[in-house]
Amino acid sequence: MKHIVTGIVAHVDAGKTTLSEAMLYRSGALRQLGRVDNGDAFLDPDDLEKQRGITIFSHQASLQHGDLDLTLLDTPGHVDFASQTEQVLSVLDYAILVVSATDGIQGYTRTLWRLLDHYQVPTFIFVNKMDADTADRDRVLAQLQQVFSAGCIAFNDATTAAGTIPAGAYEDIAMQNDDVLENFLDAGTVADDTVRQMIRRREVFPCYFGAALKLDGIDDLLAGLEQWTREPEYSAEFGAKVFKISHDDKGERLTWVRVTGGVLANKDVILDEQKVNQLRVYNGAKFTIRPSVAAGEVCAIPNLTGTHPGQGLGEQAAGRSPEIQPVLNYTLDPQGHDIHECLTILQQLEDEDPQLHVAWSSHLQEIRVQIMGAVQLEILQQILRERFNLDVGFGEGSILYKETLTRAVEGVGHFEPLRHYAEVHLLMQPAPRGSGVTFAADCDLEVLGKNWQHQVLTSLRAKEHLGVLTGSPLTDVKITLISGRASIVHSVGGDFREATWRAVRQGLMMAKSQNQTELLEPWYRFRLEVGQDQVGRAMTDIQRMHGSFETPDATAPSATGDGMSILTGTAPVAEMQGYVQEVNAYTHGQGQLECLIDGYRPCHNAAEVVADQAYDPVGDLENTPGSVFCAHGAGYPVHWDDVPGMAHVDYVYTAEALAEMSK
């Protein structure tokens, strides 16, 4: 049988889990049809999901249809859990994007489409809720073609048998590729295998219409998946990609992997001499234990340590850094619980969802977490209460700022208390927006031995580096080891950790003293739909919020009807928070505001934010920019701006060279 891994993604309430349920039922994998609102959906087995009626965690199921063996990965539909969905996208052969016929393309649908494009996942589209009185097939298809791609083509209608394409669709398919069009004009049709290739290349996106709750259109979709998908080719060498970490009801840590090459067998040694002690293939909440798992399959491995989403095993390369990043910071209120117990538990949850970015300040005795939004925060509190008996609160959320450099700088760290020695020189350069912090080495082994260079790179990766304007995370910077010195007698690994961290901070302080650091803030890309007589008010509001917008569009496909105008643009998250309530008020509930995170940009009111935060980078003893030198048999501290004159190793770059490098 042809084996395919498919994920179902959608904006919340589009009917994603209902579609999964219908596919499992129509294929015979389920004997009874469950419902989300009844709390008995096969792919929402978690108690929290049953209570809330939404998918919070990704789940796995299997079905067979004809010659197709389909592994189905259901994903969360709420934007607050987008990071869970993104983890799954990296291991899919195909995706099914569910769009509500009554609501059309919504804000999070656009985010999902962008992510599917980012991960180059071939996509089928299921337009759900076609049984509603307001459903308009032609309008939704026109919106899909205008907003997403002209390659969104209807693959089912009342005239076609399951698995076939309406006769009129072949010309639309051919129009998506010049070579295919040329052949179509000669032959009058498009070969099935050509259609499969075009779907695989994301030139064509088969669209199916139906109503999952009434099982309408499900057979067409299943037949289409069987007919128009292609099984990938796999390497004979073992490889696997980690896409999820979870804990079962007994507390066992599970590493979820997609095998991308060869075979994974029980008792194999795969990571840091760790042995696979069991292979579980899940179907809903239940699993079977397998002796081996072949390429293309998905399984969970209990009790591995050190694994994380995006990690490659064997021949498989590691995945990219996540596109979806939280933009809100919350401080834990332990409400009488032991703060260190809270930290341990939150670190376990961070293991499952690395985007929590749990940060501990021993200086402030404070825990901070990064959150996507209010719903995720509510779920986090509920998980802490129900799984860990931890009833805690969180302070008011604040904007998660980030910091970067605008020019290259050489940072120096020296650590030389008595009987210890290390000096590290780092080149820190601005990097493309959204690239995060990356590390490299460009240092002669005769200058600094291989083991010490390894210690420096390990130390750079061991912590989140903070900026010196507000103490916010550093981003979009490339840090390269360029020089250093060790002592044959006195140097140990910990010395290079201290020198490395101090070098980062010293470099940032040097940059700050020359106004070469920059505060970044998250921005929204918004879509605001208001009455035509309210456009002036909306434009004034956006300008007041330091945002920008394109020319209002009164003709764009709209889910709410005629007489509406659409404004699209960008604005700072800090200014636009809470604006949805204003929109509801002045449009009397008729307006719609969709906001999606559009990355980080220079902060619109940086001076005000820096003054308000009153961060003291020298007083942050966990991230000190100063160094330690030795004289007369004792170590003594040296202020960051005095370090250049006392460094034991010459600077690699002159000020002129650094300036030239930054052009």
Side-chain angles (χ1 to χ4, degrees), residues 475-543:
T475 191
D476 302 338
V477 172
K478 181 181 180 182
I479 303 178
T480 306
L481 169 65
I482 52 174
S483 188
R485 181 174 292 175
S487 164
I488 297 174
V489 178
H490 296 306
S491 292
V492 295
D495 300 344
F496 276 89
R497 181 181 64 244
E498 288 288 343
T500 299
W501 292 352
R502 292 163 191 265
V504 173
R505 295 286 285 183
Q506 195 271 345
L508 291 173
M509 290 299 290
M510 293 289 289
K512 179 187 177 186
S513 69
Q514 299 167 35
N515 295 317
Q516 293 164 3
T517 53
E518 187 171 49
L519 188 68
L520 305 176
E521 68 177 338
W523 281 57
Y524 278 138
R525 177 161 295 279
F526 67 83
R527 179 180 183 275
L528 176 58
E529 193 171 327
V530 296
Q532 292 178 4
D533 59 338
Q534 297 156 342
V535 172
R537 158 73 190 267
M539 293 166 70
T540 301
D541 286 350
I542 292 162
Q543 290 171 333

Side-chain angles (χ1 to χ4, degrees), residues 37 78 107 271 300 342 348 350 407 413 437 489-490 523 543 642:
D37 47 4
H78 197 285
L271 177 71
C342 295
Q348 179 178 327
E350 181 187 28
R407 214 188 85 165
V437 182
V489 178
H490 296 306
W523 281 57
Q543 290 171 333
D642 293 325

Side-chain angles (χ1 to χ4, degrees), residues 3-4 18 21 31 55 151 183 200-201 211 225 251 271 287 350 371 379 429 475 487 506 511 527 543 570 621 636:
H3 183 248
I4 296 293
T18 304
E21 200 79 10
R31 293 183 179 178
T55 303
N183 290 332
R200 190 75 198 164
R201 293 195 301 260
L225 289 168
L271 177 71
F287 63 87
E350 181 187 28
I371 296 290
I379 295 295
Q429 299 168 273
T475 191
S487 164
Q506 195 271 345
R527 179 180 183 275
Q543 290 171 333
T570 57
L621 300 181
Y636 64 96

Side-chain angles (χ1 to χ4, degrees), residues 339-340 343 347 358-362 364-368 622:
I339 191 76
H340 296 287
L343 179 61
Q347 285 172 336
V358 177
W360 162 249
S361 169
S362 57
L364 299 173
Q365 292 287 293
E366 180 180 274
I367 301 172
R368 285 181 168 266
E622 294 178 12

Side-chain angles (χ1 to χ4, degrees), residues 123 169 183 256 354 379 529 544 567 579 589 592 662:
T123 303
N183 290 332
W256 295 73
I379 295 295
E529 193 171 327
R544 171 177 52 82
L567 275 175
Y579 185 55
Q592 285 191 344
S662 302

Side-chain angles (χ1 to χ4, degrees), residues 45 115 283 501:
L115 287 172
N283 197 15
W501 292 352

Side-chain angles (χ1 to χ4, degrees), residues 578-609:
Y579 185 55
V580 67
Q581 286 85 2
E582 283 189 51
V583 172
N584 284 334
Y586 74 74
T587 66
H588 308 291
Q590 297 301 304
Q592 285 191 344
L593 175 64
E594 299 171 350
C595 292
L596 305 169
I597 299 299
D598 195 43
Y600 277 76
R601 303 181 187 185
C603 183
H604 77 283
N605 60 338
E608 179 185 332
V609 172

